[in-house]
């Protein structure tokens, strides 16, 4: 493991995550143990990912498909300065979508 990034939650708890190397020109200074303090709270780092999930859910819930259930899975990486972002699986972003429909219940009074 290269190092850790520590994010504080809104209630003061510390969430440590494996560090992601950022490609920007600046470098964060870490403590002697390789741990870096994140510039944002854990919650604010996840804001963009939450917005992406909400948008994706809207796309699949609204429209003609109307599934009973929607599952969206994607990897998330956390970086000290940029916060959270959707991780790539290969050269593209990684997103798995599962839509489910339940069989319709028989109507009352229908012959069996």
């Amino acid at each position: 493991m290269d190092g850790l990034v520590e994010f504080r939650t809104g209630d003061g708890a510390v969430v440590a995550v494996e560090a992601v190397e950022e490609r920007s020109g600046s470098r964060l200074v870490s403590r002697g143990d390789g741990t870096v303090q994140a510039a944002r709270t854990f919650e604010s780092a996840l804001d963009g990912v939450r917005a992406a999930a909400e948008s994706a859910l809207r796309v699949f819930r609204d429209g003609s498909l109307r599934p009973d259930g929607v599952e969206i899975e994607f990897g998330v990486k956390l970086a000290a300065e940029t916060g959270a972002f959707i991780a790539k699986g290969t050269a593209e972003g990684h997103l798995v979508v599962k839509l489910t429909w339940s069989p319709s219940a028989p109507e009352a009074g229908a012959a069996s």
Side-chain angles (χ1 to χ4, degrees):
M1 184 179 339
D2 292 330
L4 296 175
V5 177
E6 287 185 349
F7 289 86
R8 290 220 176 263
T9 64
D11 61 3
V14 175
V15 178
V17 298
E18 186 176 357
V20 173
E21 182 180 330
E22 298 194 57
R23 302 277 183 207
S24 66
S26 63
R27 292 266 180 201
L28 294 173
V29 177
S30 65
R31 299 191 312 225
D33 63 359
T35 302
V36 173
Q37 293 298 130
R40 305 165 71 177
T41 65
F42 186 68
E43 292 88 351
S44 69
L46 292 173
D47 280 344
V49 174
R50 186 195 70 234
E54 288 172 349
S55 294
L57 282 172
R58 254 191 319 277
V59 166
F60 293 110
R61 284 187 176 154
D62 300 342
S64 61
L65 291 176
R66 303 234 185 259
D68 294 322
V70 177
E71 290 182 29
I72 298 175
E73 175 185 324
F74 48 87
V76 175
K77 289 188 178 183
L78 292 161
E81 289 183 335
T82 57
F85 52 93
I86 297 173
K88 65 180 182 176
T90 57
E92 302 85 28
H94 180 76
L95 180 69
V96 176
V97 177
K98 180 180 177 182
L99 306 175
T100 58
W101 289 266
S102 301
S104 299
E107 292 183 30
S112 316

